[in-house]
Amino acid sequence: MAEAIEVLSAAAALPFPLDERTEIDEGKRLQHRYLDLRRPRMQANLVNRSKVVATMRRTMDQLGFLEVETPTLIASTPEGARDFLVPSRLSPGEFYALPQSPQLFKQLLMIAGVERYYQVARCYRDEDFRADRQIEFTQLDFEGAFWGQEDVLAVLEQVMVAVVGEVRGVQLETPFRRLSYAEAMARYGTDKPDVRFAMELVNLDTVLAATGFTAFAGVLDDGGSVGGINAGALGLSRSGLDAQVERAKVLGAKGLVWMVVEPDGSLRSPVAKFLDETELVALATALRATPGDHLLLVADRPRVVATVLGQLRLDHGRPEGHDDLCPLFVTDFPVFEVEEDGSLVPAHHPFSAPVSVEAMRDTPETALAQAYDLVLNGVELGSGSVRIHDPQVQAAVFEVLGIDAETAQRRFGWFLEALRYGTPPHAGFAIGIDRLVSVLQDEPNIRQVMPFPKTQTGADPLTGSPSPVDPGQLDELGISIRSMVGSSEPAGE
RNA sequence: GGGGGCGUGGUGAAGUCUGGAGUUCACGCCGGCCUGUCAAGCCGGAGGUCGCGGGUUCAAAUCCCGUCGCUCCCGCCA
């Protein structure tokens, strides 16, 4: 029983309630983040994030990894994402870049004889925000010498088992499920499938090979594909079904065919009259249709069919155990991705080893890389690869990627030289800690598990960053600001 | 770069479609009362540039245009 109370520090009326019942405007929360963080849910996020990182460090330490810090003021390597630049006072007109990842430094550490490296590393990428993306974020970065893919995946499993055991108190089953990139795309329409539920994509090309329905036949004749999913008994009205068509169009399809399975097993659909009985039966069989089910069909280029059905699958699919964690390795990524216009763009950074340099050169559209992702409940937690350790292979890969020798030498010459001094074969990975914690905490966006995140426009309402600086500071750096008002494009360019 | 949603006392929402007095609900705040409380209860009160600017109209929170902020998505994220 208290005998007296003394107020050590009075509190002014709070700008918003700290209970969990009301959702406060994000800008206001960030403006008073120190209050927002008092909320029990945010406290829990802080605590479990700390536990995740502590468990990672403990596990990596136990596995014999050496934690090594790498610089955050580095040379710009203008590949991949946009760099953040930091002007140099000592070399006016020149800039450091903030690292997009410690990639090249950890490879240098392999060369340096650090056989097992890890780091909880802050990374910076000047790209647009998403619910799962911030311009600065944190990764568990690791690399091992004399390693191949299996060594990396084994460590990933140990780290994930330890982290999930610590934070969720459940034992993840190992080995984790695996899918090749091609299989993931074919069965789930995405390279980061949520495998907590099925509703898999079904290819209907064979079933409809001889169809007289011109919308399907035309697509198939042009080398396209028809696919479908059984979205289950959604109980949608006619307008609800038509909304699915609109949804498919927003996602990039030219259209969508819906079918509803009647109690007698027949298919009700606006296009049923264009399909013969054999085809309808075969469709129902292929999609394992039972009365009440809604079948959604898309005909288009294979890539469009996959992505649209993959998204519709996420729209309608419901994990049965919503609290389950289903980690998944996606392997055998292609070296290149095919753009809409048919051009090829590298799917990874240029330091990932292709399965075969020859295949990469001769059949680039099907060539595979020794690259892999870790996916958790449909969230891409990170990626890694077996790296190139042979300077000649590295040079060849630069060439195939369209980076000519002169450019490669100018940008990466120092790295190519380093590779010459007996580089061990090596491989590694980076886990996005923010995304991992947001999944573990069942948070809808990454800001909930970052103590001081930025808004979608890259601002911090609390401290007012980014902000103008004194002219004197700019003078020291040899920088003058050109007015950006009224023109997003610099004049004369 | 593009598309969608949101912006209304300190907070969250309704009102906006279909223009008609800053109206309403809950929380908070201030004052009073009551109290075996645990989302306390009762009574009273204060608190507003309906994000901002312009337009249409007799009249705008409401319709139109622009702009800012927050957010979701496409592009982008090697």
Side-chain angles (χ1 to χ4, degrees):
Chain A
M1 182 69 81
E3 294 176 352
I5 58 169
E6 178 188 359
V7 176
L8 298 176
S9 179
L14 301 183
F16 50 81
L18 301 184
D19 60 56
E20 306 286 343
R21 296 192 300 278
T22 48
E23 202 161 314
I24 311 297
D25 174 74
E26 190 92 14
K28 292 192 172 74
R29 290 178 56 191
L30 293 180
Q31 188 187 344
H32 300 280
R33 189 62 157 180
Y34 42 87
L35 299 178
D36 191 42
L37 289 172
R38 287 182 182 173
R39 296 157 58 213
R41 175 166 150 187
M42 297 301 281
Q43 291 278 311
N45 290 346
L46 288 177
V47 167
N48 279 341
R49 183 181 180 118
S50 175
K51 283 184 181 174
V52 165
V53 173
T55 304
M56 285 175 163
R57 283 209 161 95
R58 188 168 60 245
T59 305
M60 298 310 278
D61 187 60
Q62 285 167 354
L63 292 173
F65 284 78
L66 199 64
E67 180 168 14
V68 183
E69 293 173 86
T70 54
T72 51
L73 294 171
I74 66 173
S76 175
T77 54
E79 305 293 324
R82 205 174 285 114
D83 277 331
F84 278 99
L85 298 177
V86 179
S88 164
R89 177 179 59 84
L90 297 175
S91 300
E94 300 189 344
F95 296 82
Y96 300 99
L98 302 181
Q100 297 180 24
S101 77
Q103 180 61 35
L104 291 178
F105 284 97
K106 68 174 170 179
Q107 292 193 245
L108 294 179
L109 289 171
M110 295 296 102
I111 300 169
V114 177
E115 290 200 15
R116 292 186 173 197
Y117 144 91
Y118 86 97
Q119 179 180 194
V120 177
R122 187 60 60 83
C123 305
Y124 306 86
R125 296 179 189 174
D126 189 4
E127 298 293 345
D128 286 351
F129 287 73
R130 283 286 190 284
D132 62 351
R133 265 166 35 195
Q134 285 266 316
I135 53 178
E136 55 178 317
F137 59 98
T138 309
Q139 293 185 333
L140 174 66
D141 190 50
F142 67 89
E143 196 84 7
F146 304 103
W147 268 12
Q149 170 175 305
E150 293 309 313
D151 303 288
V152 175
L153 301 192
V155 168
L156 276 170
E157 287 178 343
Q158 291 179 75
V159 171
M160 290 295 291
V161 165
V163 165
V164 170
E166 175 73 24
V167 174
R168 285 285 192 96
V170 296
Q171 179 77 20
L172 280 185
E173 281 183 33
T174 56
F176 293 171
R177 283 183 61 177
R178 293 193 192 192
L179 286 174
S180 70
Y181 170 87
E183 195 176 2
M185 292 302 295
R187 291 171 58 186
Y188 301 99
T190 173
D191 62 358
K192 47 177 181 177
D194 187 339
V195 293
R196 287 175 296 173
F197 62 101
M199 201 185 286
E200 292 188 15
L201 279 54
V202 176
N203 184 298
L204 301 168
D205 292 353
T206 312
V207 170
L208 296 166
T211 186
F213 180 36
T214 51
F216 287 171
V219 167
L220 291 171
D221 288 345
D222 289 345
S225 179
V226 184
I229 56 172
N230 182 341
L234 301 177
L236 292 176
S237 63
R238 176 60 190 250
S239 61
L241 289 161
D242 287 340
Q244 298 306 307
V245 179
E246 291 310 308
R247 173 70 173 150
K249 287 179 178 171
V250 168
L251 294 170
K254 286 191 267 303
L256 174 134
V257 169
W258 55 259
M259 297 179 167
V260 177
V261 185
E262 300 285 37
D264 64 1
S266 64
L267 298 179
R268 172 168 59 90
S269 170
V271 306
K273 57 181 174 288
F274 302 121
L275 298 165
D276 65 35
E277 188 59 28
T278 317
E279 286 169 338
L280 289 171
V281 170
L283 274 177
T285 304
L287 288 163
R288 301 172 189 274
T290 59
D293 285 350
H294 292 29
L295 313 180
L296 306 177
L297 277 58
V298 171
D300 215 306
R301 293 184 299 114
R303 183 62 181 258
V304 174
V305 172
T307 55
V308 171
L309 288 177
Q311 187 59 53
L312 290 171
R313 173 180 177 272
L314 290 178
D315 288 351
H316 301 298
R318 290 285 177 276
E320 293 195 6
H322 63 86
D323 208 32
D324 287 355
L325 295 171
C326 293
L328 169 75
F329 289 129
V330 179
T331 62
D332 304 307
F333 272 76
V335 175
F336 297 98
E337 282 177 359
V338 184
E339 292 293 276
E340 184 135 7
D341 61 5
S343 64
L344 297 173
V345 296
H348 314 273
H349 59 67
F351 313 104
S352 292
V355 171
S356 153
V357 176
E358 289 71 31
M360 184 179 170
R361 195 173 0 235
D362 299 340
T363 53
E365 63 282 349
T366 57
L368 298 181
Q370 300 184 60
Y372 33 82
D373 277 5
L374 172 61
V375 177
L376 180 62
N377 294 4
V379 175
E380 180 194 323
L381 284 189
S383 58
S385 62
V386 176
R387 323 298 184 184
I388 297 165
H389 65 276
D390 180 336
Q392 291 186 336
V393 171
Q394 186 67 71
V397 166
F398 278 145
E399 186 189 331
V400 179
L401 292 178
I403 303 171
D404 63 68
E406 190 264 333
T407 303
Q409 194 59 41
R410 178 164 44 83
R411 290 178 180 169
F412 304 114
W414 55 273
F415 182 71
L416 287 171
E417 186 192 349
L419 285 179
R420 292 171 54 224
Y421 301 113
T423 303
H426 57 289
F429 202 88
I431 304 175
I433 290 176
D434 314 281
R435 286 185 185 175
L436 171 58
V437 177
S438 68
V439 173
L440 292 176
Q441 294 297 100
D442 201 23
E443 289 287 3
N445 69 64
I446 211 174
R447 296 184 302 280
Q448 306 294 328
V449 300
M450 301 180 91
F452 298 100
K454 289 169 181 57
T455 68
Q456 196 161 45
T457 54
D460 175 10
L462 171 55
T463 63
S465 76
S467 61
V469 297
D470 290 337
Q473 289 179 279
L474 293 176
D475 282 346
E476 273 193 321
L477 297 167
I479 290 177
S480 68
I481 303 296
R482 181 174 58 197
S483 174
M484 301 286 278
V485 178
S487 68
S488 56
E489 291 293 319
E493 289 185 16

